[in-house]
Amino acid sequence: MTFRRRVGAMLVLTCAACVTVWAAAPPSDAEFLKKAQALFKPLPKVMDSAANPITPVKVQLGKMLYYEPRLSKSNVISCNSCHNLATYGVDNLPASIGHRWAVGSVNAPTTLNAAAQVAQFWDGRAKDVEEQAKGPILNPAEMGLAHADIAVENIASIPHYVGLFQKAFPGEAKPVTYDNIAKAIGDFERTLTTPGRFDKFLEGDVAALEPNERKGLATFIEVGCASCHKGALFGGGAFEKFGVFRPYQEATGSKVLDTGRFEQTNKEDDKFVFKTAPLRNIERTYPYFHDGSVWDLDTAIAVMLGVQLDKKLAIADIENLRAFLYTLTGEVPIEARTLPVLPPSTKKTARPDVN
Amino acid sequence: MTFRRRVGAMLVLTCAACVTVWAAAPPSDAEFLKKAQALFKPLPKVMDSAANPITPVKVQLGKMLYYEPRLSKSNVISCNSCHNLATYGVDNLPASIGHRWAVGSVNAPTTLNAAAQVAQFWDGRAKDVEEQAKGPILNPAEMGLAHADIAVENIASIPHYVGLFQKAFPGEAKPVTYDNIAKAIGDFERTLTTPGRFDKFLEGDVAALEPNERKGLATFIEVGCASCHKGALFGGGAFEKFGVFRPYQEATGSKVLDTGRFEQTNKEDDKFVFKTAPLRNIERTYPYFHDGSVWDLDTAIAVMLGVQLDKKLAIADIENLRAFLYTLTGEVPIEARTLPVLPPSTKKTARPDVN
């Protein structure tokens, strides 16, 4: 073991400089795995939270609310409208469509694995999925409710929901609150993990990756992608400037210039700073970047290489990178994909208002 | 048996005139059941068609297409947007929202049990669910594709779909056609049956109905509802004038006067003639009537009694009718409610156009 480790360390030092060295003297399976394990983590089964511990009834309730169009003014839009679990928690649009066909300003990120991120939204303005869930319901260009109280009144008008809130939040005198709506939705999202083939590799099954995928992973590490896209999510752990070597819009062709966190903080250092996108299920969550400006994954890879790392790679290398990234596609849990039976409205439930 | 039948027949003759007679001398369980069985049928497990026989792969494909937003111009709207299987195959809106937030002209009927109807749409202009499925995709106010070829090209651009069409329509040189898209969706819809508590009663379990529900059923038969709302679906079997004794809009408060089949046929006899609404799952498919003008089931019952039968009933009778109608609520099959995993687009797939 000691000998192997030393050889491994030497190889790592040698290989850090150049991918072609690896082609000549590839590291042992064990060393390669070890290197990957140091950078990446398997996805957890669930993404629990001390502040909002997962319980089966809260998840059941949260799933209903995730699919609940009565949390929108029109009764047409639910969380699942833009974060469609039939399409990996996204709508595959550059920007989502909201109330009265409003077009959103940024690309809707996937809800899959989202709870494990350092923060929510592209600019990180919500600290967790619970806080995030409160946003779209009240956004006039999304679900369009005028006030949180309307969401609470709508849900509280439906006895089946009241019963579930009582079970999900025992001991609370008035459990149907906007905070608890968000907690339930958050808890459901905390179950949305999608382990894939890459996790098998990371857990020790080195044969789980094909040779070209393994080459892609090696390149991913060597050229510097993994300095930001790391951890269990391959991203989502920090904020970085998009456009390190040149303005991103030169490469993405973005028509609107979004300054990222700067719009929240007004700090010069936050200009063009966004949350690093998690790369789990990237195959399915096109179009890419905060503005959905790029449709093709190979192009997105080339953009990132140029703009963030000042690098250009051969087509074959990009193809291997793409093949590796496809190993991050997992399975959307079937329980989450099974539509709940939503309880009927009552005379006290607000009627839909599509205007 | 012979004696019982005779007594039963006498009771039926006596009771046909007035509900109160039954209260004094209720028919035997067996006779009541027999009477119900003569008018109503249990729901079939599936609603198969000789022209489009159900096969597992066609149903699997049809389910994917039912949930497929790429059959709409915007990639936002699928069949399930308006016929949401989380809410009993409807959107609980007076009229659905379509492309660019267009508001539809009639209430979206449920897809549940729909295949067993004599025809589709409120005016019966499509002969079956296969023909019906072709409408909304190309309706500018619904899914908004400009031409059937675009639907075909979109689906044919996705290899996973092509493979499924080859399996679902074996022996066809080019199986991805608009007809076959409709056939697959139709076949999926042919599995959407929702047997409920009433079917248990009809199959012989007379205790499946509570006394008030049974009273409601008796009233339903006696006052004449069952002359149109009969068969397995409690309707959906014929066309009738809405407004026999007085114009419907006087009772419903409808703001727009829809002349029903007249708009298709231009025949005077078809003025205000609509397909008889099936009453299965009526509890969940509010708001009511072709224009969704009435939200409350008790009101809808009173409207029908007045407009179609020139009758008024006591509140208690209407409550019993409603209680009986609730026994027609069934379960949406869980397989149908489980969202498919939709295959990714390719470079050949048209990008969404929300304009």
Side-chain angles (χ1 to χ4, degrees):
Chain A
M1 275 298 273
T2 311
F3 175 71
R4 272 196 195 165
R5 262 191 207 153
R6 268 194 211 139
V7 174
M10 282 164 63
L11 277 168
V12 169
L13 287 170
T14 317
C15 297
C18 177
V19 178
T20 50
V21 176
W22 269 30
S28 72
D29 282 353
E31 286 306 325
F32 188 57
L33 180 60
K34 209 173 138 190
K35 190 168 182 176
Q37 285 170 334
L39 285 164
F40 313 113
K41 299 283 164 241
L43 276 176
K45 281 248 164 70
V46 293
M47 302 166 286
D48 213 347
S49 145
N52 184 27
I54 292 173
T55 67
V57 65
K58 231 194 287 175
V59 171
Q60 181 200 348
L61 173 60
K63 182 169 103 167
M64 293 169 74
L65 296 170
Y66 186 90
Y67 286 104
E68 181 52 84
R70 286 167 294 190
L71 287 177
S72 69
K73 189 183 179 198
S74 63
N75 289 11
V76 168
I77 303 170
S78 70
C79 304
N80 194 66
S81 299
C82 304
H83 302 286
N84 187 347
L85 294 178
T87 48
Y88 280 80
V90 297
D91 53 12
N92 297 126
L93 295 174
S96 299
I97 295 296
H99 189 72
R100 288 181 63 81
W101 213 256
V103 179
S105 54
V106 288
N107 179 259
T110 181
T111 42
L112 300 175
N113 312 300
Q117 295 178 104
V118 64
Q120 306 298 316
F121 293 117
W122 281 97
D123 58 10
R125 67 184 184 276
K127 71 174 190 298
D128 51 29
V129 282
E130 288 78 9
E131 193 178 327
Q132 189 281 331
K134 293 178 177 178
I137 296 170
L138 303 181
N139 187 327
E142 298 186 39
M143 297 163 83
L145 284 188
H147 197 282
D149 291 348
I150 303 172
V152 172
E153 284 161 19
N154 270 355
I155 297 300
S157 73
I158 299 167
H160 187 80
Y161 271 129
V162 175
L164 280 174
F165 272 87
Q166 283 163 347
K167 279 186 201 159
F169 302 98
E172 297 190 21
K174 277 194 130 186
V176 186
T177 64
Y178 200 56
D179 276 349
N180 285 349
I181 288 173
K183 276 188 177 177
I185 295 172
D187 241 10
F188 170 61
E189 293 188 32
R190 292 183 179 284
T191 68
L192 299 179
T193 62
T194 62
R197 194 146 52 83
F198 182 77
D199 299 274
K200 287 192 181 140
F201 168 81
L202 216 52
E203 282 157 1
D205 177 8
V206 286
L209 295 194
E210 299 291 328
N212 62 328
E213 296 161 351
R214 190 174 154 141
K215 275 187 196 164
L217 171 56
T219 304
F220 188 85
I221 297 169
E222 294 315 312
V223 299
C225 309
S227 40
C228 296
H229 294 283
K230 60 192 173 186
L233 267 50
F234 287 72
F239 299 90
E240 301 290 342
K241 184 176 176 184
F242 185 28
V244 173
F245 285 90
R246 57 191 63 93
Y248 70 79
Q249 67 273 20
E250 287 179 15
T252 59
S254 299
K255 282 166 196 150
V256 176
L257 199 60
D258 186 329
T259 54
R261 278 168 74 80
F262 177 77
E263 288 174 28
Q264 298 291 317
T265 65
N266 231 27
K267 287 182 193 161
E268 198 59 31
D269 282 356
D270 283 339
K271 236 177 198 168
F272 308 115
V273 168
F274 297 89
K275 192 180 61 195
T276 309
L279 302 185
R280 291 276 181 179
N281 306 304
I282 194 77
E283 174 193 8
R284 303 300 192 104
T285 58
Y286 54 86
Y288 302 111
F289 302 121
H290 64 276
D291 54 5
S293 50
V294 172
W295 283 86
D296 177 63
L297 187 51
D298 289 8
T299 308
I301 292 167
V303 166
M304 287 303 279
L305 286 167
V307 160
Q308 299 300 93
L309 300 166
D310 199 26
K311 282 189 177 134
K312 262 195 176 181
L313 288 186
I315 288 173
D317 290 325
I318 288 181
E319 284 174 351
N320 289 339
L321 274 170
R322 188 223 308 148
F324 154 65
L325 289 174
Y326 278 17
T327 72
L328 301 178
T329 303
E331 292 227 352
V332 185
I334 194 160
E335 301 81 10
R337 279 192 285 119
T338 308
L339 292 179
V341 177
L342 297 178
S345 294
T346 65
K347 285 176 188 173
K348 290 181 182 168
T349 315
R351 290 187 189 158
D353 180 357
V354 300
N355 296 309
Chain B
M1 277 295 276
T2 312
F3 174 72
R4 271 193 195 167
R5 263 188 207 154
R6 268 191 215 143
V7 174
M10 283 164 62
L11 276 168
V12 170
L13 287 169
T14 318
C15 298
C18 176
V19 179
T20 50
V21 176
W22 271 29
S28 71
D29 283 353
E31 287 305 324
F32 188 56
L33 180 60
K34 210 174 135 187
K35 190 168 182 174
Q37 285 169 334
L39 286 164
F40 312 114
K41 300 283 165 241
L43 276 175
K45 282 247 164 71
V46 293
M47 302 165 287
D48 212 347
S49 145
N52 185 27
I54 292 173
T55 65
V57 65
K58 231 194 288 176
V59 171
Q60 180 200 348
L61 173 59
K63 182 170 105 168
M64 292 169 76
L65 296 171
Y66 187 91
Y67 287 105
E68 181 53 84
R70 285 167 294 190
L71 286 177
S72 69
K73 189 183 179 197
S74 63
N75 289 9
V76 167
I77 303 171
S78 70
C79 303
N80 194 66
S81 299
C82 304
H83 303 286
N84 188 346
L85 294 177
T87 48
Y88 280 79
V90 297
D91 52 12
N92 297 127
L93 296 174
S96 299
I97 295 298
H99 189 72
R100 289 184 62 82
W101 212 256
V103 180
S105 54
V106 287
N107 180 259
T110 180
T111 42
L112 300 174
N113 312 300
Q117 295 178 106
V118 66
Q120 305 299 316
F121 293 118
W122 281 96
D123 57 10
R125 67 183 184 277
K127 71 175 190 297
D128 51 28
V129 283
E130 288 77 9
E131 193 178 326
Q132 189 281 330
K134 293 179 178 179
I137 296 171
L138 303 180
N139 187 326
E142 298 186 40
M143 296 163 86
L145 285 188
H147 197 281
D149 292 348
I150 303 172
V152 172
E153 284 161 19
N154 270 356
I155 297 301
S157 73
I158 299 165
H160 187 78
Y161 270 128
V162 176
L164 280 174
F165 271 87
Q166 283 163 347
K167 279 186 202 157
F169 302 97
E172 297 191 21
K174 276 193 130 189
V176 186
T177 64
Y178 200 56
D179 276 348
N180 285 348
I181 288 172
K183 276 188 176 176
I185 295 172
D187 242 11
F188 170 61
E189 292 188 34
R190 291 182 180 283
T191 69
L192 300 179
T193 62
T194 62
R197 195 147 51 82
F198 181 76
D199 299 274
K200 287 191 181 142
F201 168 79
L202 215 51
E203 283 157 0
D205 177 8
V206 288
L209 295 193
E210 300 290 328
N212 62 328
E213 295 161 350
R214 191 174 153 141
K215 274 188 198 165
L217 171 58
T219 304
F220 188 85
I221 297 169
E222 295 314 312
V223 298
C225 309
S227 40
C228 297
H229 295 283
K230 60 193 173 186
L233 267 51
F234 287 73
F239 299 91
E240 301 290 341
K241 185 176 176 184
F242 185 28
V244 173
F245 285 91
R246 57 191 64 93
Y248 70 78
Q249 67 274 20
E250 286 180 14
T252 59
S254 299
K255 281 166 197 152
V256 175
L257 197 60
D258 186 328
T259 54
R261 277 168 76 79
F262 177 77
E263 287 174 28
Q264 298 290 319
T265 65
N266 231 29
K267 287 182 196 164
E268 198 59 29
D269 283 357
D270 283 340
K271 236 174 197 169
F272 309 115
V273 167
F274 297 88
K275 193 180 60 195
T276 310
L279 302 184
R280 291 277 180 177
N281 305 304
I282 194 77
E283 174 192 8
R284 304 300 191 104
T285 58
Y286 55 86
Y288 302 112
F289 303 122
H290 64 277
D291 55 5
S293 50
V294 172
W295 282 86
D296 176 61
L297 187 51
D298 289 8
T299 308
I301 293 167
V303 166
M304 287 303 278
L305 287 168
V307 161
Q308 299 300 92
L309 300 165
D310 199 26
K311 283 189 176 134
K312 261 194 176 180
L313 288 186
I315 288 172
D317 290 325
I318 288 180
E319 285 174 350
N320 288 339
L321 274 170
R322 188 222 308 148
F324 154 65
L325 289 174
Y326 278 17
T327 71
L328 301 178
T329 303
E331 292 226 354
V332 186
I334 194 161
E335 301 80 10
R337 279 193 285 119
T338 307
L339 293 180
V341 177
L342 297 179
S345 294
T346 64
K347 285 176 188 173
K348 289 181 183 168
T349 315
R351 290 185 189 161
D353 179 358
V354 301
N355 296 309

